[in-house]
Amino acid sequence: MRVLLLESQKYIFDDSFSALDFKTDAKLRTALKGETKNSTVIIVAQRVSTVMDADRIIVLEEGKIAGMGTHKELLKSSEVYREIVSSQLSEEELA
């Protein structure tokens, strides 16, 4: 169990959401938005749905940056990101 005890200017969640089911993941991220609205939040994640709404996504491949941008920008500019997305999300989820 992880708990936010103190208000901070920066939060780092290192793959903290991966063990959660999709519904709980979404609920937790929604709740965290209100608590972290004036902070910098870094989320390390393997699940696309966890980062789709991020202001900036950095895609890593073999330890190197393979793309950077929003979800929509990366869908257009990064083959690596498109491959990850297509392996995880259905066409309906992308719409």
Side-chain angles (χ1 to χ4, degrees), residues 4-55:
L4 297 179
L5 296 175
L6 303 172
E7 192 172 318
S8 178
Q9 292 180 341
K10 299 173 191 136
Y11 295 94
I12 299 174
F13 298 99
D14 187 359
D15 212 16
S16 302
F17 304 94
S18 64
L20 302 174
D21 62 82
F22 290 105
K23 201 177 212 180
T24 304
D25 177 358
K27 284 182 182 179
L28 178 57
R29 284 183 291 107
T30 299
L32 282 173
K33 268 187 190 174
E35 298 297 322
T36 61
K37 64 183 171 200
N38 297 318
S39 303
T40 298
V41 178
I42 297 172
I43 299 174
V44 178
Q46 296 180 39
R47 192 184 292 168
V48 172
S49 61
T50 301
V51 298
M52 279 177 60
D53 296 324
D55 295 332

